[in-house]
Amino acid sequence: MPSSRPVFVVTGPSGAGKGTLIRELVERIPVLEVAVSATTRPQRPREVDGHEYWFLSGDEFERRVQAGEFLEHVAYVSGRRYGTLRSELARILAEGRVCVLELELEGALAVQHEVPASVSLFIAADVPELERRLRERATESTGEIGERIALAREQLEQAHLFRYMVRNDDVGRATAALAAIVECELELAGVGTGTMSRP
Ligand code: 5GP
């Protein structure tokens, strides 16, 4: 990475509430922008191509892998592929903003290894709470929820691999903790939290 601007990597098990916390965080700290990942998983109702994800066919995803367009990419539950496009990071940096990535663990570890300026944050939640959130969301088939819960149990044991850990037992408290960490890291890097308006 040519820039010393921090790249915030938010990781943790499916159902830990990463998406909600990131939305709250970006609302509070305007200089942050979330990179849009690419995926081969089916689009859910209300998801918009280019907003939540770039929804790609398996062939198109593979073509981009071969072209070296991904900073990292993984095969997740049910073999669905997810990846961070290098172009997204470049675009966000060129806009003078600070990038936030929402990644599962394997991808987060890869970025942590590859990007020296990365700051990793692990979002944890109790297993019954994770299960409740996944069932409430009910966007995956029952089998896939079971697979995500099994994976979540394993992943909770890997929190120590990341720089910070925030427990999401209460969204308000967790957002405040996350914002305090991010503000501190931005200050250390000499980056203002930014009051500029969003494009
Ligand atoms: P979902 O299908 O629920 O949107 O996402 C499943 C998991 O994939 C979540 O843990 C999410 O953080 C992760 N994820 C989303 N985009 C990427 C990506 O570009 N790379 C990696 N490694 N994981 C991602």
Side-chain angles (χ1 to χ4, degrees):
M1 284 282 111
S3 162
S4 61
R5 279 179 175 243
V7 172
F8 292 100
V9 180
V10 179
T11 191
S14 189
K18 302 189 289 289
T20 306
L21 292 181
I22 290 175
R23 270 194 300 281
E24 300 276 331
L25 186 67
V26 167
E27 192 71 26
R28 278 196 196 195
I29 306 180
V31 78
L32 301 177
E33 185 165 346
V34 185
V36 179
S37 293
T39 185
T40 63
R41 85 142 160 73
Q43 199 166 343
R44 294 174 187 153
R46 289 186 297 281
E47 283 184 333
V48 177
D49 191 35
H51 191 250
E52 283 79 13
Y53 287 102
W54 297 105
F55 294 96
L56 304 182
S57 67
D59 286 351
E60 178 59 12
F61 195 100
E62 182 55 26
R63 190 193 66 72
R64 289 177 184 239
V65 169
Q66 295 304 326
E69 291 184 25
F70 288 108
L71 175 64
E72 60 75 41
H73 61 92
V74 295
Y76 189 60
V77 172
S78 304
R80 305 294 186 196
R81 303 182 82 180
Y82 295 80
T84 307
L85 292 160
R86 293 180 191 277
S87 56
E88 272 292 294
L89 269 81
R91 179 183 64 76
I92 292 169
L93 287 176
E95 282 173 1
R97 292 178 180 274
V98 171
C99 191
V100 178
L101 304 177
E102 184 201 328
L103 309 177
E104 54 64 67
L105 266 74
E106 205 185 314
L109 287 171
V111 173
Q112 184 162 263
H113 183 69
E114 188 137 335
V115 180
S118 63
V119 176
S120 59
L121 304 112
F122 184 95
I123 309 298
D126 295 336
V127 172
E129 181 60 18
L130 286 176
E131 189 162 352
R132 194 190 60 74
R133 286 194 198 137
L134 284 172
R135 292 198 192 285
E136 194 177 87
R137 198 164 74 185
T139 43
E140 276 73 34
S141 68
T142 317
E144 212 169 286
I145 288 173
E147 217 178 318
R148 282 182 184 233
I149 292 167
L151 188 62
R153 284 180 190 276
E154 275 172 39
Q155 291 180 334
L156 285 169
E157 285 164 19
Q158 297 180 54
H160 65 281
L161 299 175
F162 300 95
R163 190 166 323 166
Y164 296 101
M165 201 265 267
V166 173
R167 186 168 292 281
N168 187 16
D169 44 10
D170 173 90
V171 174
R173 196 201 61 79
T175 305
L178 211 53
I181 294 168
V182 168
E183 279 166 358
C184 180
E185 289 286 343
L186 288 174
E187 179 120 12
L188 283 171
V191 181
T193 51
T195 50
M196 57 187 179
S197 59
R198 294 193 171 284

